[in-house]
Amino acid sequence: MLQIPDYAKKYKGQEVQDLPDPEIFLMPLNGYKSLLTPVVQEGEQVRQYQLIAKSGQQFGTYLHAPVSGTIGALKSINESQYLTLHNDFKYIEQKLSPSVPEKWSKQELLNAIKELGIVGCGGARFPSHIKFNTGDNPVDFLVVNGIECEPFFSADYALIKYHADELAQGIKVVKQIVSPKKIVVAIKRKNKELKEILEAAFLQHKLQAGVRLLPNHYPQGEEFQLIGTITGHKLSKGCIPSDFGVVVSNVATFRAIAKAIFEGKPNVERITTLYNEEQKTGANFLFKIGTPIAHIVEHSKFIPQEWKKKRLRLGGAMMGKNAGQQLVIHQGTGGLIYLVPQIVSQTNCINCGYCTQVCPQYLMPMTVIPGFSGQKNNLINRYNMLSCIECAACEYSCPSKIPLLKYIRQAKSILKQ
Ligand code: SF4
Ligand code: SF4
């Protein structure tokens, strides 16, 4: 397994900062395997927290206005759809109703989670009302994922440090839905100071939950790795955790649930890390969903104005993608990283085997290198490359600087055809 230094050590404990809100929000209509349809018209005045789009498809979710203002035009950018919202900076709220969730049924809670726009905040934005609807399957473990394995990220750290109270409240709601035998909050050993904070919040909310300090390995926070470490179950591609009696969700999702259920506030914000590799500085910010990246670049000292010439990555240095495709902060954006371009000279594979040693899926990444002896689609298939989780640990470890992840993605797209 791969060990990566704690780059966030200097700033992870600092208070979460704010930036001024943008004049125009680009509300993302592309959800997890679904396209949301606006329920408001161009020119319509909306209040903060008002429903503005939804989808009735299988994985459909709901989207709410992060501020009050006027609905603008629909926009299609880079094959993604956005609804523009012109901020009036008045923050006129939709009237919110207080709730007493203890009296709600499981289905009522799931409906509220859906209608208040809760999706997984760990990256993929899987709808939470589907994840927590475990039917009659008994749940042995509810795992609250606070591992945050991306090297520069500390948004989940800040969330636990400053919002452990809301986190405990959110866990209580999900406990009411899935009735787990055990609740485990997983954090890395290097963040052990958070254990006391969490335990104090559990005590305050009379919540029976444990904190597990896990090794600082990368990618420990990936769902199947986490389940393997905590429960001993080895899940392979295509497995559904709830079939093994496990439900896993990110800490930010539980906080969003607490705000939705107890305050009536839909999921319109998230804590995100900004990091500048050149200056080796970072900080955590609270952004509203739909905040354009260009606005963040303009107002934050962490990302220089000439960012487009360099490498701005959304979703982390290891598993993220270049920011060109995603224009805004969405519910799954854990961080925005400004990387200094590396001048690397790639050399041939020397068969050192490091890529295999660090691979959490026990794969042989070198088999995807063009020209690798014996490379054929059926060989790649045999080596089960489709179960690669794209963690980039192999590429990070490769002494020949071979862009393994690029080749893996190419191979996977061929295999999926
Ligand atoms: S082959 Fe895939 S899962 Fe294995 S280390 Fe590389 S990116 Fe990670
Ligand atoms: S780490 Fe790089 S050089 Fe070593 S076997 Fe893997 S691909 Fe080849």
Side-chain angles (χ1 to χ4, degrees), residues 83-366:
L83 181 62
T84 50
L85 169 60
H86 296 257
N87 191 356
D88 64 9
F89 294 95
K90 292 178 182 165
Y91 301 95
I92 303 164
E93 289 186 9
Q94 166 114 312
K95 199 169 177 318
L96 307 169
S97 18
S99 56
V100 188
E102 291 81 5
K103 295 186 177 166
W104 291 9
S105 69
K106 176 176 167 168
Q107 194 53 53
E108 283 171 325
L109 287 170
L110 288 170
N111 289 347
I113 283 173
K114 177 180 182 181
E115 287 163 18
L116 289 163
I118 309 299
V119 295
C121 297
R125 297 184 290 157
F126 187 85
S128 299
H129 65 279
I130 298 177
K131 175 170 272 192
F132 296 138
N133 190 357
T134 52
D136 294 330
N137 285 352
V139 174
D140 296 323
F141 285 96
L142 172 62
V143 180
V144 182
N145 188 352
I147 292 289
E148 195 167 44
C149 54
E150 277 287 345
F152 304 110
F153 282 15
S154 60
D156 290 349
Y157 183 100
L159 185 146
I160 295 172
K161 180 165 178 183
Y162 296 108
H163 302 284
D165 185 47
E166 289 169 332
L167 176 57
Q169 286 184 301
I171 297 171
K172 274 185 97 167
V173 172
V174 179
K175 179 186 172 200
Q176 200 176 323
I177 299 170
V178 304
S179 307
K181 289 187 189 139
K182 270 190 186 168
I183 302 172
V184 178
V185 181
I187 56 174
K188 279 194 171 170
R189 211 165 273 150
K190 68 183 180 186
N191 297 331
K192 57 183 181 303
E193 61 277 11
L194 297 177
K195 186 170 188 277
E196 209 175 305
I197 295 172
L198 283 164
E199 286 171 347
F202 299 159
L203 200 62
Q204 187 195 339
H205 289 278
K206 299 186 176 62
L207 175 66
Q208 283 220 320
V211 180
R212 283 278 297 272
L213 300 178
L214 300 189
N216 298 327
H217 297 153
Y218 178 85
Q220 183 64 83
E222 193 275 329
E223 190 173 58
F224 284 8
Q225 305 301 314
L226 189 56
I227 291 172
T229 308
I230 290 187
T231 69
H233 295 312
K234 293 277 176 241
L235 272 60
S236 53
K237 191 167 176 65
C239 292
I240 298 170
S242 61
D243 290 344
F244 292 78
V246 191
V247 172
V248 182
S249 202
N250 177 267
V251 285
T253 310
F254 290 93
R255 180 184 178 229
I257 288 171
K259 290 190 83 67
I261 301 290
F262 292 97
E263 298 177 37
K265 290 184 177 169
N267 193 8
V268 296
E269 63 182 27
R270 76 151 293 142
I271 299 173
T272 298
T273 303
L274 299 189
Y275 181 80
N276 182 322
E277 193 187 27
E278 203 164 52
Q279 298 168 355
K280 303 209 176 336
T281 51
N284 291 308
F285 288 81
L286 185 65
F287 290 126
K288 293 190 172 68
I289 306 304
T291 301
I293 304 303
H295 173 83
I296 295 170
V297 170
E298 192 182 332
H299 289 87
S300 158
K301 63 183 170 128
F302 289 95
I303 315 283
Q305 294 296 315
E306 71 274 21
W307 63 284
K308 280 185 179 161
K309 293 183 200 144
K310 299 204 178 177
R311 296 177 69 199
L312 191 60
R313 285 175 69 88
L314 273 160
M318 299 293 279
M319 297 179 91
K321 300 214 166 116
N322 286 346
Q325 291 302 310
Q326 188 189 319
L327 297 179
V328 298
I329 296 292
H330 65 46
Q331 299 89 338
T333 313
L336 187 58
I337 313 293
Y338 175 73
L339 292 172
V340 176
Q342 308 282 332
I343 302 186
V344 287
S345 36
Q346 180 185 334
T347 53
N348 290 336
C349 174
I350 53 170
N351 284 320
C352 64
Y354 289 161
C355 54
T356 297
Q357 282 172 29
V358 297
C359 178
Q361 298 295 88
Y362 309 104
L363 302 171
M364 299 180 73
M366 73 289 266

